[in-house]
Amino acid sequence: MGEPAEYRVGSCQLSIVEGDITEQSVDAVVNAANRHLAGGGGVDGAIHRAGGPAIMEETRRRYPDGCPTGQAVISGGGNLPARHVIHAVGPIWAGGVKGERELLASAYRRSLELAVEHECRSVAFPALSAGAYGYPAERAAEVAIGEIADFLRTHGKPQEVRLVLFGQPMWSVFVGVADRLLRGERQ
Ligand code: AR6
């Protein structure tokens, strides 16, 4: 089990932990959703199973047209410990030639903007696009960590961002990238 790795970014904290996103006691958890907000496997399946039907009822009602790739929408957290779920749509990996990097960066950025708009002090993200959508792990980690760190330096909030990785291999890829990109900021 990878120990939590913590980095100070400006006045905020970025932590990288191994675990299950549905168990995080934070103000908002981010879901790795699809454009139709139709539910699915992976993080999406786990969030709807643990959170109950209220989440899907709300997204169907408020966002009947779904959510474009690279964007995010917000709902309540249902039965989850988190108050909100931010449904972010990352890109499907297509070899890196379809603007995937910018779309993935935008999904992280838009999620953080929504978190700040809803006064969330703590937000937990999974590795968006790095499962069923096939984004290579190391590159997904570079985008995630680079984008989150830029946002925290620019805005000074949310106070805590937690990257929650499923399994030790993915946790070590993210910690390796964070040690490189955030050199000197590990606590
Ligand atoms: N907690 C944390 N991480 C998890 C969990 C969990 N409970 N479950 C899986 N992961 P994925 P994507 C990891 O496939 O690539 C869905 O069907 C997983 O091991 O959830 O963005 C949606 O409906 C991987 O490292 O998201 C979409 O259609 C990472 O989370 C599509 O999959 C992301 O894997 C989205 O695919």
Side-chain angles (χ1 to χ4, degrees):
M1 185 86 173
E3 290 296 308
E6 298 186 347
Y7 304 81
R8 186 110 213 127
V9 183
S11 58
C12 308
Q13 178 174 293
L14 172 61
S15 41
I16 302 182
V17 308
E18 185 185 343
D20 182 336
I21 193 92
T22 64
E23 294 173 2
Q24 305 301 311
S25 292
V26 285
D27 294 323
V29 293
V30 178
N31 180 18
N34 55 62
R35 285 190 298 123
H36 309 291
L37 302 177
V43 169
D44 205 358
I47 283 185
H48 286 291
R49 262 193 315 278
I55 298 176
M56 185 76 80
E57 279 158 22
E58 182 179 345
T59 54
R60 286 226 168 97
R61 178 167 44 78
R62 291 178 67 186
Y63 314 108
D65 298 330
C67 174
T69 303
Q71 298 294 312
V73 297
I74 192 163
S75 74
N79 301 327
L80 294 171
R83 265 194 297 131
H84 304 280
V85 177
I86 294 170
H87 306 265
V89 184
I92 298 172
W93 179 254
V97 294
K98 294 252 167 86
E100 294 97 314
R101 187 184 172 89
E102 180 43 35
L103 288 166
L104 185 57
S106 162
Y108 278 97
R109 205 159 50 234
R110 187 65 200 126
S111 298
L112 289 164
E113 285 168 2
L114 276 173
V116 168
E117 279 167 32
H118 289 77
E119 294 177 351
C120 298
R121 290 165 58 84
S122 53
V123 186
F125 282 92
L128 297 174
S129 286
Y133 280 0
Y135 210 107
E138 173 115 8
R139 297 193 204 193
E142 285 166 2
V143 176
I145 291 159
E147 206 54 39
I148 292 167
D150 277 357
F151 191 95
L152 295 180
R153 286 200 184 94
T154 308
H155 300 273
K157 52 189 172 183
Q159 194 158 64
E160 187 203 347
V161 175
R162 198 180 295 172
L163 277 160
V164 181
L165 289 321
F166 219 38
Q168 214 269 338
M170 193 61 103
W171 175 87
S172 13
V173 168
F174 272 67
V175 171
V177 169
D179 282 345
R180 174 158 55 79
L181 295 185
L182 307 175
R183 208 169 294 139
E185 292 173 293
R186 187 160 178 176
Q187 293 187 302

